Amino acid sequence: MEEFKYKRYHIPNVVKSLCVLRELSKSRAGLTRAEIVRETGYTESIVFRIIYTMLDYGMIVKDPKTLRYSISKKFISLAYDAIGEDNIISAAHDVMADIRDTLVETVMLGILSENEVIMIDQVFGKNFFSFTGRVGLKCPLNSSAPAKAILAFLPESEVSDILARTEFSRFTDNTITDRRRFLDELARVRRCGYAVDNQEYLNGANCVGVPVFDYQSRPAAAIWITGPSDRMPAADFPKIGEIMRQKAAAVSAKLGYSPAAATE
């Protein structure tokens, strides 16, 4: 049973509305009115009034075919405003430093913006020579580990829209310039949990990236490590990817991600 510090000040109808939202957030497919009644234990009348109030305010939407209710994009956008870039940086920075201390190379954090990933924070490597970038550095989608790490876990329809606007430019002999091959690469990322840039953007530079998930099980950002290919050879990608995947899970947890909810 949950313990609340200010329970004596609670407004019952607000509490009930929040409980309905919480149940809806647990189900990717949405819930029917009967299912909401069952999950919350509230009466049909109370649930009816709550969902139609939230429909009017645009917080939830109703599928006319399945009659299921789900959280709306408007509600999600409000939540994203609360998470924000600064909150992602705050949640990730200590973990990035931990990754750097473990793997020695420079670690970066980026978010998807239009058709690029933008670097918003970094922790410098410990080697005498390390790759670094400036905040605001833009990474092309088809040749960067962070972009692959994010795209691999977005809904298929969103990926299709993004790739329709993407120029598959060639930067090195290893750059993926074919859409079909790129989709195959995203499928590989989903299977193993990490993405790579095997000298695909810059000869002599390798990267390994992992997604950071938010409370909606969406990839909110990516953390990636970058270093010279002789210090980070492709043979080490699986080991590096597993280390990063495990450590990045702590950042996702700070943003409210629940692996159990993601599999429902």
Side-chain angles (χ1 to χ4, degrees):
M1 185 174 181
E2 291 177 285
E3 295 291 334
F4 295 105
K5 185 177 180 180
Y6 304 109
K7 189 172 182 178
R8 65 183 181 277
Y9 302 123
H10 288 188
I11 300 172
N13 285 340
V14 174
V15 171
K16 291 172 182 175
S17 297
L18 291 173
C19 288
V20 169
L21 284 172
R22 182 167 59 184
E23 292 303 325
L24 290 175
S25 73
K26 294 178 182 178
S27 174
R28 285 189 167 187
L31 297 172
T32 64
R33 198 161 74 205
E35 288 170 335
I36 296 172
V37 169
R38 185 183 69 240
E39 295 299 323
T40 61
Y42 301 146
T43 66
E44 174 81 20
S45 175
I46 289 173
V47 169
F48 178 89
R49 287 198 289 268
I50 288 173
I51 61 177
Y52 277 93
T53 299
M54 290 194 289
L55 281 170
D56 268 351
Y57 277 87
M59 296 295 103
I60 65 174
V61 292
K62 180 181 180 181
D63 187 317
K65 295 181 179 179
T66 65
L67 303 183
R68 290 179 174 273
Y69 301 89
S70 56
I71 291 176
S72 70
K73 289 183 178 180
K74 180 178 180 180
F75 184 89
I76 293 172
S77 69
L78 292 174
Y80 268 102
D81 288 342
I83 293 174
E85 184 177 304
D86 290 342
N87 284 343
I88 293 175
I89 292 173
S90 176
H93 194 80
D94 287 348
V95 174
M96 292 167 63
D98 183 26
I99 294 172
R100 187 276 315 274
D101 290 345
T102 302
L103 298 174
V104 184
E105 305 292 351
T106 297
V107 180
M108 299 180 178
L109 174 71
I111 57 174
L112 182 66
S113 178
E114 298 295 332
N115 280 39
E116 299 164 315
V117 167
I118 298 177
M119 194 261 281
I120 59 176
D121 193 23
Q122 70 181 319
V123 177
F124 299 117
K126 289 187 171 183
N127 289 296
F128 179 76
F129 168 78
S130 294
F131 286 115
T132 62
R134 68 186 187 283
V135 171
L137 172 73
K138 296 178 179 180
C139 306
L141 295 189
N142 65 311
S143 62
S144 66
K148 296 175 190 175
I150 293 173
L151 289 173
F153 296 94
L154 284 175
E156 185 177 335
S157 58
E158 289 187 42
V159 174
S160 294
D161 289 344
I162 292 170
L163 294 188
R165 305 189 303 270
T166 298
E167 292 185 16
F168 285 80
S169 302
R170 180 176 293 282
F171 302 98
T172 73
D173 290 342
N174 289 352
T175 304
I176 298 175
T177 57
D178 176 74
R179 178 187 171 116
R180 182 67 260 170
R181 186 180 160 208
F182 187 73
L183 289 172
D184 290 342
E185 177 68 4
L186 296 186
R188 187 202 65 79
V189 174
R190 282 191 294 275
R191 289 193 300 270
C192 68
Y194 67 89
V196 304
D197 163 6
N198 187 10
Q199 301 187 69
E200 296 166 42
Y201 182 60
L202 181 66
N203 284 317
N206 282 344
C207 303
V208 178
V210 292
V212 171
F213 297 99
D214 64 15
Y215 77 104
Q216 283 284 328
S217 302
R218 286 179 58 89
I223 295 174
W224 71 100
I225 186 170
T226 181
S229 56
D230 59 345
R231 291 203 308 250
M232 278 182 53
D236 289 347
F237 287 167
K239 177 179 68 176
I240 294 171
E242 182 59 20
I243 290 172
M244 294 189 64
R245 189 185 64 79
Q246 291 183 11
K247 291 185 180 295
V251 184
S252 298
K254 291 180 183 179
L255 298 180
Y257 172 66
S258 170
T263 59
E264 290 181 356

